[in-house]
Amino acid sequence: DDTTKISKAAKIMERIVNQNSFDDIAQDFKYFEDASDEYRDQQGTLLPLWKFQYDKTKRLAVTAISWNPKYKDLFAVGYGSYDFMKQGEGMLLLYTMKNPSFPEYVFSSDSGIMCLDFHNDHPYLIAVGLYDGNVAICNLKKAISQFSYKSSAKSGKHTEPVWQVKWQKDDMDNNLNFFSVSSDGRIVSWTLVKNELVHTDVIKLSAEGTTTQGPEGPQLQMPGCGTSFDFHKKIDYLFLVGTEEGKIYKCSKSYSSQFLDVFEAHHMAVDSVSWNPYHMKVFISCSSDWTVKIWDHTIKTPMFVYDLNSAVGDVAWSPYSSTVFAAVTIDGKAHVFDLNINKYEALCTQLVVTKKKNKATHIQFNPVYPIVIVGDERGRVISLKLSPNLRKMPK
């Protein structure tokens, strides 16, 4: 119909106008290389590029960021609130770096969105986890701004917020499926069968040693609260689960009753855990206890421990080097490390969120461009370019 024809033309016009008005930033993004890095003795800087913000998300925190696997300039941002008292609606926006002034897609939900993940083979599908324990699938090919599929109380939804979702390979019958982890201690596999989400519980976490003395002896088994997880890139059955108690469990999809290993990793909740994309044994974890730790999954103690002087909200490995990672802390700083150059100090520690009482929540590397995006508690996302010292390729 006519409106879609106009909207496509209008979208292109808007992008052209934006490229003209943000021309200096676009030039920086494409061509600027910080020459002063040569005199800086391995230190690097982050150059702020665009800020992405939308009026309706000012009061919401950025709870998830994910780059699209196919379109390298497109990313999704989930909005919700980490504050138990201030729960309300959530939003899912998709932005492109070709148009920083307005989102490409806008989805709204009744409950805050806590996590999201793009499907690798179907980049138009996004799995979403919500604060009320539901999971949903968003289809960007459909013109409606609602979820295409959503779990319900009948179909085994979580009873607590869902902290992370991850797509898996399609099952034997080519049905889509993804996993979710929640504070209720369940790790659930969701399969899309005949337009319905069907769930199977993979693992139930329980906090060991938390049985309380009831009137007739020990009664209550407390659930362990899952906060994050990650699947191994090569070994299909292997995955890690971080919990609110600070433990990290090494689990297998085949054994639902026990864990392969338990790491006494942190003193507070594990906010993020992820495998290194290049080194098959190594994973990284960060926590509200101010630390980032790097582990070999065959050894019980961490190989590296970094104290960042503030609670660490998120940590991410870089896609271009096995030794580079970035973390954000709630005092608004981004930290970039390269273990190949310096094993003890960050090469760059920079304030990226300037307003007081505002916290940085998430960070992600772009898969191809030398940039990171950082989200904060006021619903803003800022993109920053890494200077040459921060992206040295290993030999």
Side-chain angles (χ1 to χ4, degrees), residues 67 72-73 97 319-320 364-373:
W67 288 97
K72 304 301 183 197
D73 55 278
M97 290 180 339
Y320 52 83
Q364 282 290 326
F365 281 88
N366 185 295
V368 289
Y369 302 121
I371 64 167
V372 289
I373 46 176

Side-chain angles (χ1 to χ4, degrees), residues 56-241:
K56 292 183 182 166
T57 58
K58 272 187 183 155
R59 293 202 176 85
L60 297 172
V62 173
T63 50
I65 304 178
S66 178
W67 288 97
N68 189 299
K70 183 176 178 195
Y71 298 102
K72 304 301 183 197
D73 55 278
L74 189 70
F75 62 92
V77 187
Y79 295 89
S81 170
Y82 286 122
D83 188 341
F84 172 70
M85 301 299 287
K86 290 184 186 153
Q87 284 308 319
E89 56 174 40
M91 290 193 97
L92 168 60
L93 302 183
L94 273 92
Y95 281 109
T96 167
M97 290 180 339
K98 293 172 181 165
N99 177 7
S101 64
F102 202 78
E104 291 288 292
Y105 295 90
V106 178
F107 292 85
S108 56
S109 66
D110 311 334
S111 174
I113 288 173
M114 289 289 127
C115 51
L116 51 91
D117 189 32
F118 275 109
H119 198 294
N120 225 9
D121 307 326
H122 312 289
Y124 51 88
L125 290 178
I126 308 178
V128 173
L130 304 169
Y131 193 87
D132 61 7
N134 276 311
V135 293
I137 296 178
C138 216
N139 187 346
L140 303 179
K141 283 190 169 178
K142 302 212 168 125
I144 49 165
S145 64
Q146 289 300 320
F147 295 123
S148 308
Y149 310 103
K150 194 173 169 188
S151 64
S152 66
K154 279 193 296 203
S155 65
K157 81 177 187 71
H158 290 285
T159 51
E160 295 271 328
V162 181
W163 293 117
Q164 208 159 7
V165 286
K166 282 258 162 73
W167 286 104
Q168 295 297 302
K169 292 194 180 74
D170 296 359
D171 69 359
M172 304 292 194
D173 309 324
N174 289 339
N175 293 323
L176 295 167
N177 87 316
F178 64 93
F179 277 54
S180 64
V181 65
S182 158
S183 317
D184 64 3
R186 287 163 60 217
I187 290 167
V188 180
S189 161
W190 300 88
T191 313
L192 190 63
V193 186
K194 295 180 183 158
N195 290 345
E196 267 188 36
L197 285 170
V198 179
H199 80 286
T200 5
D201 284 22
V202 185
I203 269 186
K204 195 144 179 56
L205 301 172
S206 63
E208 288 152 43
T210 48
T211 46
T212 54
Q213 290 301 90
E216 294 104 34
Q219 293 266 307
L220 182 69
Q221 184 88 34
M222 282 290 289
C225 303
T227 50
S228 53
F229 67 158
D230 194 25
F231 290 88
H232 198 280
K233 312 279 187 285
K234 292 278 187 293
I235 309 171
D236 197 42
Y237 60 83
L238 192 64
F239 65 100
L240 298 166
V241 184

Side-chain angles (χ1 to χ4, degrees), residues 227 242-246 266-272 286-289 312:
T227 50
T243 62
E244 226 163 87
E245 299 84 62
H266 292 278
H267 302 305
M268 287 169 78
V270 180
D271 292 318
S272 173
C286 75
S287 160
S288 312
D289 67 1
V312 187

